[in-house]
Amino acid sequence: MESLSLPVLNPLLASRSNLFRNQSSRMTSPLNNFPRGCSTSLSTVRRLRVGVVKMQAVDEDIDLKQMRDMAAAKKRWDGLLREGKVKLLTPREAGYAISLSNKPLLDVRPSSERNKAWVKGSTWVPIFDNDDNLDAGTLSKKVTSFAMGGWWSGAPTLSFNRFFLSKVEEKFPKEAELIVACQKGLRSLAACELLRNAGYENLFWVQGGLESAQDEDLVTEGVQPLKLAGIGGFSEFLGWTDQQRAQAAKEGWGYRLVYTARLFGVILAADALFVGAQQLGHYIQELRGH
């Protein structure tokens, strides 16, 4: 089997290294731009430089740990599939297994995806779910995630569901034949590994996730097509995702006109805000002049 290409499960992990890198670049700029005659002591400059070096070292450690963790996970997951401990199904084969053999489908997606669309009759137990805590640490993660691209992609802050195994065990015996699926096929592999280690030996993994299913492959329910359940943010609002482009190719100009109108609306709103800011600036200057 070809080696799977597996990105990090948590987008925050990928964003942390970029955050450190951006912070490092911001810290180095004062060292290169001290004005002549500045009274900053040499020791202060040295402390700043030491801080930059330490942050760069942390950045490299995070990247290295990510690479090692993902390489180890990839090796384990490839092994499960290669050795037949987890069997591979296409979305169409999964649909046949559900309809003809009455095999249960375990949906391990977070609620943000599940609530948009789901396979009819599937059982939902998320392996990662939206982190709704309001403590300082979680809020910091949410702000970081939003600033590092969450506003565009709509990717939520997720946390591991520590009740995942116990919930699955409540619903399915260890001898059950389980089809495990997520949106893109990554978190479901992690779920298969956990379930296999817990004693489930009849596991089927949906290759490519539910997003790769064609309309006729699975019987679905929900407010959106299954392919669009994993998108969000400003990119979804503008219709600039690959999934929406594919949908537009099927549905024609009517679908495209909706998002074209939204784009023009955003441009007009931005222009209005710019003009309003200019007028406010002129008004403030006039008040100061009086």
Side-chain angles (χ1 to χ4, degrees):
M1 173 173 293
E2 294 182 1
S3 180
L4 296 172
S5 176
L6 300 170
V8 286
L9 295 177
N10 189 344
L12 281 179
L13 293 178
S15 66
R16 284 178 63 189
S17 61
N18 292 329
L19 177 62
F20 280 117
R21 190 174 291 111
N22 293 338
Q23 288 175 332
S24 298
S25 62
R26 286 197 297 269
M27 289 185 66
T28 55
S29 58
L31 301 181
N32 299 324
N33 294 283
F34 281 129
R36 294 181 180 179
C38 179
S39 59
T40 303
S41 66
L42 182 59
S43 61
T44 301
V45 175
R46 286 175 177 169
R47 284 197 297 270
L48 285 172
R49 285 177 175 166
V50 168
V52 170
V53 170
K54 287 182 178 179
M55 294 188 74
Q56 289 173 341
V58 170
D59 185 9
E60 292 175 359
D61 288 344
I62 291 174
D63 289 341
L64 184 59
K65 186 177 185 303
Q66 272 185 240
M67 292 173 63
R68 287 176 176 171
D69 289 347
M70 287 313 302
K74 177 179 177 297
K75 185 177 180 180
R76 294 195 309 270
W77 296 343
D78 278 348
L80 289 175
L81 295 169
R82 184 175 57 253
E83 296 167 13
K85 294 179 179 179
V86 174
K87 299 174 181 64
L88 184 151
L89 294 177
T90 66
R92 178 163 297 183
E93 290 170 340
Y96 288 147
I98 294 169
S99 60
L100 300 179
S101 303
N102 202 30
K103 284 185 173 62
L105 186 141
L106 177 62
D107 185 344
V108 300
R109 297 176 299 163
S111 56
S112 55
E113 296 172 357
R114 169 77 182 189
N115 292 340
K116 295 178 182 178
W118 59 91
V119 176
K120 184 177 181 180
S122 60
T123 300
W124 178 57
V125 182
I127 185 172
F128 294 92
D129 205 2
N130 298 1
D131 195 340
D132 296 325
N133 292 326
L134 298 178
D135 58 274
T138 302
L139 290 176
S140 175
K141 289 180 182 178
K142 289 183 177 183
V143 170
T144 301
S145 177
F146 183 83
M148 300 303 292
W151 65 274
W152 177 256
S153 67
T157 303
L158 302 177
S159 61
F160 177 71
N161 178 12
R162 58 193 179 94
F163 301 109
F164 172 71
L165 281 176
S166 60
K167 292 293 185 183
V168 174
E169 289 171 347
E170 288 176 6
K171 299 176 184 294
F172 301 105
K174 296 291 177 66
E175 64 272 12
E177 294 184 329
L178 281 180
I179 300 173
V180 186
C182 64
Q183 189 67 21
K184 295 179 180 293
L186 299 177
R187 296 187 180 102
S188 52
L189 268 177
C192 284
E193 182 182 27
L194 287 178
L195 292 169
R196 176 76 187 184
N197 292 338
Y200 288 88
E201 297 186 354
N202 299 307
L203 298 172
F204 299 83
W205 171 65
V206 179
Q207 184 182 30
L210 300 177
E211 187 173 290
S212 64
Q214 300 302 314
D215 294 341
E216 65 273 12
D217 290 344
L218 299 162
V219 180
T220 63
E221 296 177 322
V223 297
Q224 288 189 355
L226 200 57
K227 286 181 177 293
L228 305 184
I231 62 176
F234 201 52
S235 61
E236 179 187 16
F237 178 79
L238 293 177
W240 284 2
T241 65
D242 293 338
Q243 297 89 333
Q244 288 169 301
R245 292 191 186 100
Q247 194 76 12
K250 290 182 179 180
E251 300 192 17
W253 283 103
Y255 189 87
R256 297 176 186 179
L257 285 174
V258 171
Y259 293 100
T260 302
R262 289 184 181 182
L263 176 60
F264 277 114
V266 170
I267 294 173
L268 291 174
D271 183 66
L273 286 172
F274 179 73
V275 172
Q278 282 186 320
Q279 292 176 345
L280 179 61
H282 292 322
Y283 179 70
I284 293 174
Q285 286 181 347
E286 291 177 0
L287 289 178
R288 289 176 176 175
H290 293 302

